[in-house]
Amino acid sequence: MRTEYLIQKEVERVLDLLTYENRLVLRVLLHTGIRIGDALQLKPEQLKPNFWITEQKTGKRRQIGLPEPLLSDLLDSSGAYWVFPGADPRKHRSRQAVWKDVKRAAAALRLTANAAPHSARKVYAVQLLNKYGDIERVRRALNHGGLEVTMIYAMADKQLTAAGRRRRAKPGRKRA
């Protein structure tokens, strides 16, 4: 099952329930639109207001910008080797650890959406399209090869509304 777009209220509620470290990871994803693996690969010496990464999935280079409050929080919590250290400080936090925390938070909130760290990329795309109204700009920001996939991401909020679902509670469940 594919991860789904979350409305702003859901994003805020999920963030509130995450551990501090995983909340920082999601804040990076929401602000930059990068994939979870790329965020977890960040090293403290890379952190600046603007810097370049090479995406693991595509091998493409991409510039990242971080606002001062987020950058400061990241610098304060960084380990010696990784911005997001794992239990062994020489290894970064695992994608699975962040994924489990997001799933736990979504379950606690009884969200019907399939929420996962990748949901943040869809939220980023929708926000970028709403801000600039330029799907090509969103495509470039996400480093997609074509507009087809970008349209799925950037129009996630419209698809949600058109499908007429959100967020109907499952039978026997209270509405979130």
Side-chain angles (χ1 to χ4, degrees), residues 8-9 12 33 35-36 43 48 83 101-102 104 156 163 176:
Q8 189 61 38
K9 179 174 75 170
E12 291 167 7
R35 293 176 182 87
I36 182 75
K43 295 184 177 183
K48 297 178 182 99
V83 172
D101 201 21
V102 171
R104 179 197 53 76

Side-chain angles (χ1 to χ4, degrees), residues 51-168:
F51 59 95
W52 290 87
I53 65 164
T54 301
E55 293 180 334
Q56 290 178 330
K57 181 176 179 178
T58 65
K60 296 176 184 175
R61 287 184 40 85
R62 176 168 176 200
Q63 190 171 25
I64 301 299
L66 297 172
E68 175 50 40
L70 178 54
L71 180 59
S72 184
D73 289 346
L74 293 171
L75 289 169
D76 289 345
S77 69
S78 288
Y81 303 101
W82 303 101
V83 172
F84 303 109
D88 176 349
R90 292 170 296 183
K91 295 182 180 179
H92 61 72
R93 178 175 301 277
S94 73
R95 289 185 350 244
Q96 293 81 1
V98 180
W99 184 88
K100 284 180 184 178
D101 201 21
V102 171
K103 289 294 188 181
R104 179 197 53 76
L109 294 168
R110 297 184 175 166
L111 297 183
T112 58
N114 183 23
H118 201 71
S119 298
R121 192 162 159 89
K122 294 178 180 184
V123 171
Y124 173 80
V126 168
Q127 289 175 344
L128 209 58
L129 184 61
N130 288 340
K131 183 175 181 177
Y132 297 108
D134 182 356
I135 193 70
E136 178 58 25
R137 186 173 188 161
V138 177
R139 184 197 66 74
R140 286 190 315 269
L142 295 176
N143 253 343
H144 283 156
L147 279 178
E148 299 79 18
V149 176
T150 305
M151 291 291 285
I152 292 169
Y153 281 62
M155 304 299 282
D157 60 332
K158 310 289 188 284
Q159 293 167 349
L160 185 68
T161 305
R165 56 168 260 266
R166 200 48 148 213
R167 298 274 183 235
R168 284 184 236 150

Side-chain angles (χ1 to χ4, degrees), residues 5-80:
Y5 170 76
L6 301 178
I7 59 176
Q8 189 61 38
K9 179 174 75 170
E10 293 168 332
V11 170
E12 291 167 7
R13 293 172 72 199
V14 167
L15 284 171
D16 287 343
L17 293 180
L18 297 177
T19 64
Y20 178 75
E21 295 81 6
N22 292 334
R23 186 177 318 122
L24 274 179
V25 174
L26 262 286
R27 286 176 58 201
V28 169
L29 302 181
L30 288 164
H31 187 78
T32 64
I34 63 175
R35 293 176 182 87
I36 182 75
D38 295 326
L40 296 175
Q41 291 282 328
L42 293 174
K43 295 184 177 183
E45 60 270 16
Q46 287 179 277
L47 294 179
K48 297 178 182 99
N50 289 294
F51 59 95
W52 290 87
I53 65 164
T54 301
E55 293 180 334
Q56 290 178 330
K57 181 176 179 178
T58 65
K60 296 176 184 175
R61 287 184 40 85
R62 176 168 176 200
Q63 190 171 25
I64 301 299
L66 297 172
E68 175 50 40
L70 178 54
L71 180 59
S72 184
D73 289 346
L74 293 171
L75 289 169
D76 289 345
S77 69
S78 288

